[in-house]
């Protein structure tokens, strides 16, 4: 038995499904997951010594690639001074100042430990601020596993056929209203019916948990005015898009100012982290300034803050986003050529260094269209790619991520594998 198989078998005895987060179990695809031992640059290696070019990047955080020397060295030095104090440290100011400088709508920011915590806290805050209970989310968007969000959720919930989870009280689920992505009429209809009780609209400004679905022209702007007219809080969940699609996230890219923003992934530089922030007027409602309670033993952990701070500094060096754009554009153009030559109908959506290939004849602009893509073809493609040493998310409903470590040779190798994988469909 291979080391990978041995370790995964043991994991299944110890941990539900052998994993600490569901999609890692590869249940949506017909193979078991490799067990990862180490990463460097654009590559990861499994316990059997196989190398893969990685397009998962720990599901988004690793925009610099694996084990970036500057971040690792910085963290190593700080580790010697202790790992957590549960008391204020200067590093918390450093990262808060970076976030406030880069993200246009954020005046005050609170650090938490995951994206889930960030979205849960932002919704509590929006409810506390408005005195209203209901929220609107979009079908196929994923905002972590908080009770209010496991209603027609994307990502793993979708991959594993559990977009609505048992264990979420019906009373709470009824406070979550679901609209269609890129469809303002569906939002308007909910506002007409429940307007006075809608605390917030939460949206992924580029949807990355049903593949990659960019906002249609005018969609985000329309949400902004619907929220303004209804006195509802507009929350951009930028856990994935923050510092990914532009230094200031999707709100900078599309020029729309939300009231609250949730962040995660990249701001932890590979350590567990989340954050939410926004206008003073709303953020001042958070404890200890205001009555809305939210706390955390390890929140603002100095090591996570340091890794995030260093990552944000590196990202602000010249040409980083241009490089991400060019590398990903080259990759996608090559994939499109391959698809054409092979005569395989597919759509590739891309925003900056986020991309997704759907095995579908029709454009994908919402959940309905994403879910119509051919799953058998995806599975066969996925297995072929991993055999060729290309590590993709094991689900057709996830975004792929390119990092600053992906080089021309990695892209070439990926395109070769892609060409071969299409031949096997
Ligand atoms: N929001 C979005 C947009 C996400 O993509 C994710 C995770 N993929 C989350 C929230 C939840 O973050 P976490 O997994 O850190 O709890």
């Amino acid at each position: 038995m291979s080391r990978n198989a041995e370790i995964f078998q043991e994991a299944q005895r110890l941990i539900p499904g052998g994993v600490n987060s569901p999609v890692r179990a590869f249940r949506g695809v017909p193979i078991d997951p490799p067990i990862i031992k180490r990463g460097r640059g654009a590559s990861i290696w499994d316990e059997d010594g196989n190398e893969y070019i990685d397009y998962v990047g720990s599901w988004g955080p690793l925009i610099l690639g694996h084990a970036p020397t500057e971040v690792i060295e910085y963290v190593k030095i700080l580790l010697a001074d202790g790992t957590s104090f549960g008391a204020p440290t200067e590093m918390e100011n450093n990262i808060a100042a970076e976030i406030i400088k880069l993200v246009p709508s954020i005046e005050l920011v609170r650090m938490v430990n995951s994206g889930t915590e960030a979205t849960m806290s932002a919704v509590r805050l929006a409810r506390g601020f408005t005195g209203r209970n209901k929220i609107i989310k979009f079908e196929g968007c994923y905002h972590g596993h908080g009770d209010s969000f496991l209603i027609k959720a994307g990502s793993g919930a979708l991959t594993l056929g559990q977009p609505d989870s048992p264990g979420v009280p019906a009373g709470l689920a009824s406070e979550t209203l679901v609209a269609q992505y890129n469809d303002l009429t569906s939002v308007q209809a909910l506002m007409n019916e429940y307007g006075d009780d809608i605390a917030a609209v939460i949206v992924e400004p580029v949807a990355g948990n049903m593949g990659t679905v960019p906002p249609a022209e005018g969609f985000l702007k329309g949400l902004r005015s619907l929220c303004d007219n209804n006195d509802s809080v507009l929350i951009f969940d930028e856990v994935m898009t923050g510092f990914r699609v532009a230094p200031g996230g999707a709100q900078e890219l599309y020029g729309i100012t939300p009231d609250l923003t949730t962040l995660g992934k990249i701001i932890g530089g590979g350590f567990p982290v989340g954050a939410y922030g926004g206008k003073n007027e709303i953020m001042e409602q958070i404890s200890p300034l205001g009555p809305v309670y939210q706390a955390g033993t390890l929140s603002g952990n100095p090591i996570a803050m340091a890794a995030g701070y260093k990552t944000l500094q590196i990202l602000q060096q010249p040409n980083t986003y241009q490089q991400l754009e060019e590398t990903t554009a080259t990759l996608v153009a090559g994939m499109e050529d391959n698809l054409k030559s092979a005569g395989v109908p597919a759509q590739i959506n891309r925003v900056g260094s986020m991309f997704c290939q759907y095995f579908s004849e029709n454009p994908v602009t919402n959940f309905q269209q994403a879910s119509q893509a051919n799953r058998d073809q995806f599975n066969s493609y996925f297995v072929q790619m991993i055999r060729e040493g290309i590590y993709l998310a094991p689900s057709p409903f996830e975004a792929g991520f390119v990092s600053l470590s992906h080089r021309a040779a990695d892209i070439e190798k990926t395109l070769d594998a892609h060409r071969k994988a299409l031949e096997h469909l």
Side-chain angles (χ1 to χ4, degrees):
M1 196 188 275
S2 72
R3 283 287 292 148
N4 281 335
E6 213 174 282
I7 295 169
F8 192 55
Q9 204 172 62
E10 177 75 341
Q12 284 167 294
R13 243 178 22 84
L14 302 168
I15 308 168
V19 289
N20 282 308
S21 192
V23 182
R24 293 180 204 170
F26 278 38
R27 289 278 170 105
V29 290
I31 51 169
D32 283 338
I35 307 299
I36 305 306
K37 188 165 187 185
R38 68 188 180 92
R40 184 93 208 163
S43 288
I44 49 177
W45 285 263
D46 69 17
E47 290 282 350
D48 290 316
N50 300 306
E51 179 181 352
Y52 309 89
I53 300 172
D54 180 20
Y55 291 95
V56 177
S58 190
W59 303 90
L62 303 184
I63 195 161
L64 306 179
H66 290 270
T69 310
E70 274 184 81
V71 176
I72 301 292
E73 292 307 316
Y74 191 54
V75 164
K76 264 193 204 161
I77 294 165
L78 293 169
L79 269 172
D81 285 335
T83 55
S84 180
F85 309 106
T89 58
E90 191 177 12
M91 195 57 81
E92 291 160 271
N93 294 2
N94 294 348
I95 192 148
E98 286 300 308
I99 292 172
I100 289 167
K101 180 180 83 185
L102 291 170
V103 184
S105 67
I106 298 186
E107 294 173 347
L108 279 175
V109 62
R110 169 63 63 81
M111 303 304 299
V112 292
N113 302 290
S114 68
T116 296
E117 242 189 276
T119 54
M120 279 166 45
S121 309
V123 160
R124 181 182 305 140
L125 174 57
R127 285 174 166 152
F129 177 72
T130 57
R132 300 170 173 186
N133 287 327
K134 294 199 188 302
I135 60 166
I136 295 180
K137 79 175 279 292
F138 293 88
E139 187 169 19
C141 280
Y142 180 70
H143 304 291
H145 66 89
D147 284 347
S148 293
F149 302 119
L150 288 180
I151 321 286
K152 300 216 183 301
S155 190
L158 193 53
T159 310
L160 304 175
Q162 301 162 341
D164 305 286
S165 173
V168 175
L172 188 60
S174 69
E175 305 292 9
T176 300
L177 308 169
V178 180
Q180 289 308 313
Y181 200 78
N182 280 331
D183 177 2
L184 288 170
T185 358
S186 68
V187 183
Q188 179 73 68
L190 292 171
M191 292 249 176
N192 290 347
E193 195 166 349
Y194 302 98
D196 283 354
D197 203 20
I198 296 172
V201 173
I202 184 165
V203 66
E204 289 180 68
V206 175
N209 287 289
M210 47 175 155
T212 301
V213 179
E217 180 83 40
F219 177 60
L220 298 175
K221 193 164 176 231
L223 291 182
R224 179 65 278 175
S225 29
L226 285 171
C227 284
D228 285 342
N229 296 339
N230 199 57
D231 292 327
S232 302
V233 175
L234 178 61
I235 306 173
F236 274 10
D237 180 355
E238 299 229 40
V239 166
M240 191 182 281
T241 53
F243 311 98
R244 163 67 61 184
V245 298
Q251 56 194 271
E252 181 194 335
L253 188 65
Y254 298 104
I256 305 296
T257 307
D259 301 306
L260 289 178
T261 299
T262 53
L263 297 166
K265 300 194 192 269
I266 289 173
I267 50 163
F271 286 84
V273 102
Y276 63 104
K279 294 179 175 170
N280 284 328
E281 185 196 5
I282 306 180
M283 290 301 290
E284 280 165 1
Q285 295 299 311
I286 284 288
S287 189
L289 285 181
V292 178
Y293 198 71
Q294 185 272 311
T297 300
L298 289 168
S299 292
N301 175 269
I303 302 302
M305 297 304 99
Y309 176 62
K310 197 44 127 184
T311 301
L312 294 189
Q313 283 192 324
I314 296 170
L315 279 173
Q316 287 171 72
Q317 290 169 359
N319 298 328
T320 48
Y321 286 89
Q322 196 184 329
Q323 184 188 323
L324 288 166
E325 173 73 24
E326 284 169 9
T327 312
T328 320
T330 307
L331 173 66
V332 164
M335 289 168 75
E336 279 168 344
D337 284 349
N338 288 346
L339 285 162
K340 214 179 206 176
S341 310
V344 175
Q347 312 287 325
I348 305 182
N349 287 354
R350 176 179 82 85
V351 178
S353 55
M354 282 170 70
F355 69 97
C356 181
Q357 171 182 278
Y358 299 93
F359 288 100
S360 172
E361 304 205 358
N362 305 309
V364 177
T365 65
N366 61 25
F367 167 75
Q368 298 299 340
Q369 292 160 347
S371 61
Q372 278 158 16
N374 187 317
R375 203 130 175 187
D376 292 339
Q377 277 187 330
F378 174 82
N379 283 352
S380 152
Y381 164 73
F382 173 83
V383 170
Q384 199 57 38
M385 289 295 270
I386 203 163
R387 284 192 184 136
E388 291 286 336
I390 310 298
Y391 189 85
L392 302 169
S395 159
F397 301 117
E398 302 287 353
F401 300 104
V402 170
S403 78
L404 285 171
S405 291
H406 285 81
R407 305 267 167 247
D410 300 312
I411 301 302
E412 242 168 70
K413 191 166 173 229
T414 306
L415 289 173
D416 273 346
H418 183 259
R419 197 174 309 119
K420 286 188 202 151
L422 296 181
E423 280 166 17
H424 283 83
L425 288 185

